[in-house]
Amino acid sequence: MTSSDNTPQADRPLSPHLSAYRWQLTSLLSIAHRLSGVALIIGLVALSFWLFFLGQNAQASALVKIIFFSWFGKLVQIGFTAAFFYHLLNGVRHLLWDFNLGLELPQVYRSGYIVIVLTLLLTLAVWVGT
Amino acid sequence: MKPLALFALHRGTTRHWAAQRVTAVLLTPLGVWFVAASINLFRSSREEVVRWADNPLSLVLFSTFFLVAYWHAALGATEILTDYIHNPARRSVVKNVIYFVLGLSLGFGLVGLFLLARG
């Protein structure tokens, strides 16, 4: 906490006490939902620039192609694919919780493992098959 | 929460909560479609993407996915800011910067999509 915060709230503990929790599957998946969300925002911006440069002349699209076909470009794309599937599947898990479904602790763990396994399988399916 | 409370959008936080869920529900099928449709798209030539964008169904589905995804992104970014930036003035500045960048990037994407759809 910086002392430059002069608001009364500034001295109270921050809402997600990440350092106060013992790491466990539930907290790990929760923070992973946020991190994948932030990654997907960056991916959305990248998607927009892909559209923009592809919409321009052929020269610009050739450059885009080089970026997408490089090993680093592929690695980033695999990461985005995994973040996409994780955020999608875990988002469905959140929506089910909103309907009061699967909130018992063993169910929360089970759905958590299902999300991890499905994320890996779907990411593999996209990248191994192509 | 009663189901009808979803429609009682009179409070900012309630509206934010509901909008996040509505966009999430929309993005679930749209996201699955996007993955299926875009598996080969990113490695395609410009001509192939133009042909893809020429199909009205894919153009409508993609535009919907694109706009709802940006909306969901803005909501999610706001939620993170609310949790981590506690100084209201600073939060408002960061929020405006993020909205500006997202808006600009959305504009770039839409221009590109328009150019591709035009051929």
Side-chain angles (χ1 to χ4, degrees):
Chain A
M1 182 66 58
T2 55
S3 56
S4 63
D5 285 336
N6 295 322
T7 50
Q9 297 99 313
D11 295 316
R12 297 188 197 140
L14 299 176
S15 118
H17 312 265
L18 287 183
S19 53
Y21 284 123
R22 182 173 62 84
W23 283 103
Q24 46 202 311
L25 185 75
T26 42
S27 61
L28 191 72
L29 292 186
S30 172
I31 193 68
H33 194 70
R34 280 215 162 160
L35 288 177
S36 59
V38 172
L40 288 171
I41 293 179
I42 297 167
L44 196 58
V45 173
L47 177 68
S48 304
F49 280 87
W50 174 76
L51 282 170
F52 183 72
F53 285 113
L54 210 67
Q56 309 297 313
N57 50 48
Q59 239 179 342
S61 21
L63 181 72
V64 170
K65 205 159 189 178
I66 290 167
I67 296 169
F68 268 87
F69 273 97
S70 68
W71 69 267
F72 183 73
K74 269 196 175 157
L75 202 67
V76 171
Q77 285 179 78
I78 293 172
F80 278 136
T81 313
F84 189 95
F85 281 129
Y86 176 75
H87 201 81
L88 183 75
L89 292 164
N90 200 53
V92 171
R93 190 164 164 248
H94 270 279
L95 287 172
L96 293 175
W97 288 338
D98 287 339
F99 286 99
N100 241 336
L101 294 167
L103 280 171
E104 295 295 327
L105 201 54
Q107 296 173 314
V108 170
Y109 269 83
R110 202 181 309 138
S111 60
Y113 283 120
I114 291 173
V115 163
I116 294 173
V117 170
L118 280 181
T119 300
L120 290 174
L121 286 179
L122 288 168
T123 308
L124 272 174
V126 165
W127 283 95
V128 172
T130 54
Chain B
M1 185 175 134
K2 287 176 189 159
L4 268 181
L6 254 183
F7 300 99
L9 305 178
H10 54 285
R11 292 276 303 278
T13 41
T14 312
R15 189 182 293 136
H16 181 279
W17 187 91
Q20 194 170 44
R21 267 70 193 169
V22 169
T23 51
V25 168
L26 285 172
L27 282 173
T28 306
L30 284 170
V32 172
W33 170 82
F34 173 71
V35 167
S38 67
I39 280 181
N40 291 309
L41 201 66
F42 292 126
R43 64 194 77 182
S44 305
S45 67
R46 190 181 191 277
E47 291 68 39
E48 286 168 313
V49 179
V50 166
R51 217 174 305 135
W52 176 81
D54 198 37
N55 180 344
L57 182 69
S58 50
L59 195 61
V60 167
L61 283 176
F62 180 80
S63 311
T64 314
F65 167 75
F66 199 54
L67 292 171
V68 178
Y70 263 99
W71 187 8
H72 192 75
L75 290 166
T78 308
E79 190 179 311
I80 294 174
L81 292 183
T82 312
D83 277 350
Y84 291 103
I85 305 183
H86 290 243
N87 181 312
R90 192 184 306 159
R91 182 164 65 226
S92 153
V93 169
V94 177
K95 191 171 150 179
N96 285 332
V97 169
I98 290 179
Y99 280 14
F100 177 75
V101 171
L102 283 180
L104 200 68
S105 139
L106 172 65
F108 272 104
L110 289 178
V111 167
L113 192 63
F114 174 76
L115 290 172
L116 287 168
R118 221 182 39 171

